[in-house]
């Protein structure tokens, strides 16, 4: 290993594909053991784990993440690992998830994941591509199957902890966008602006009379000739004509 190479671990292919659940079971079993434990003792506490050799490899990976102390045959929870295990024991899933995210976000694996995605144009990559990126960083001659299965389990872990989007069928990985939902259109009534009243037409200069587009009908009841004469004079005054009726 050169001076530029870094310590890098991949999940072992003997572990289940649902790697996040597998690691949680190991943490919880270690917590219930209540002391420094061997892989066999961990399996005895949680029978669904079955293969103690695979549990030992997963416990070593937890040690690489900083959640377990010890790398070979005897393992103990670190302070941060104990916090997660306690949250799992108390059924506080959201708290356990938050603690997992804190652990993964500050680990070099996440830094390398961001670098790998950035190298792919910042959009998306593949789990095996990420594993190959880690192989180059570590300068280790991992085989193709180990890369494929280890990369897949690692991406499952990040995805289940809500730090990655992983399309397993097509082997696409990308970071969650986190874009806010579009703002729905407003359903409040729209207030139209109040239009000013239309001013009446201005009579043109020069004394030209303007005929307005309306007619006034006046009905008058007259009893005698004098009354009729008075009404005719009134009409003439209103229409601007004066004088005696013809």
């Amino acid at each position: 290993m050169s001076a530029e190479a870094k310590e890098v671990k991949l999940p072992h292919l003997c572990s289940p594909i649902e790697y996040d659940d597998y690691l949680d079971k190991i943490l919880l079993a270690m917590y219930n053991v209540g002391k420094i434990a061997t892989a066999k003792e961990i399996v005895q506490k949680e029978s669904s784990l079955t293969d103690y050799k695979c549990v030992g490899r997963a416990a070593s990976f937890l040690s690489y993440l900083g959640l377990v102390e010890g790398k070979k045959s005897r393992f103990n929870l670190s302070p941060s690992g104990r916090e997660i295990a306690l949250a799992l024991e108390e059924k506080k899933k959201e708290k356990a998830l938050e603690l997992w995210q804190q652990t993964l976000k500050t680990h070099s694996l996440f830094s390398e994941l961001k670098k790998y995605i950035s190298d792919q144009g910042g959009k998306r990559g593949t789990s095996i591509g990420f594993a190959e990126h880690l192989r180059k960083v570590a300068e280790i001659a991992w085989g193709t199957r180990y890369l494929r299965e280890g990369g897949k389990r690692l991406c499952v872990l990040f995805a289940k902890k809500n730090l990655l989007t992983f399309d397993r069928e097509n082997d696409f990985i990308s970071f969650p966008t986190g874009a806010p939902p579009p703002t729905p259109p407003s359903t409040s009534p729209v207030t139209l602006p109040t239009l000013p009243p239309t001013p009446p037409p201005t009579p043109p200069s020069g004394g030209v009379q303007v005929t307005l587009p309306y007619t006034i009908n006046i009905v008058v009841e007259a009893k005698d000739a004098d009354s009729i004469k008075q009404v005719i004079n009134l009409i003439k005054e209103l229409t601007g004509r004066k004088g005696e009726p013809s």
Side-chain angles (χ1 to χ4, degrees), residues 175-182:
F175 287 119
T177 59

Side-chain angles (χ1 to χ4, degrees), residues 138-169:
E139 297 183 0
I140 299 176
W142 287 322
T144 301
R145 182 166 179 257
Y146 188 84
L147 283 172
R148 182 178 65 251
E149 298 302 324
K152 187 182 298 181
R153 284 155 176 76
L154 186 57
C155 289
V156 166
L157 174 63
F158 279 108
K160 287 297 187 71
K161 302 310 179 185
N162 294 344
L163 298 178
L164 191 68
T165 298
F166 184 19
D167 179 351
R168 298 192 207 181
E169 182 178 355

Side-chain angles (χ1 to χ4, degrees), residues 194-201:
T194 302
L195 298 177
T198 303

Side-chain angles (χ1 to χ4, degrees), residues 175-236:
F175 287 119
T177 59
T183 303
S186 174
T187 57
S188 58
V190 178
T191 303
L192 296 176
T194 302
L195 298 177
T198 303
T202 303
S205 59
V208 179
Q209 184 177 359
V210 178
T211 302
L212 297 178
Y214 53 81
T215 303
I216 299 176
N217 295 321
I218 302 176
V219 178
V220 180
E221 292 185 3
K223 296 180 180 181
D224 50 33
D226 291 334
S227 298
I228 294 174
K229 183 178 180 181
Q230 292 176 3
V231 170
I232 291 174
N233 289 335
L234 176 60
I235 292 173
K236 287 183 177 181

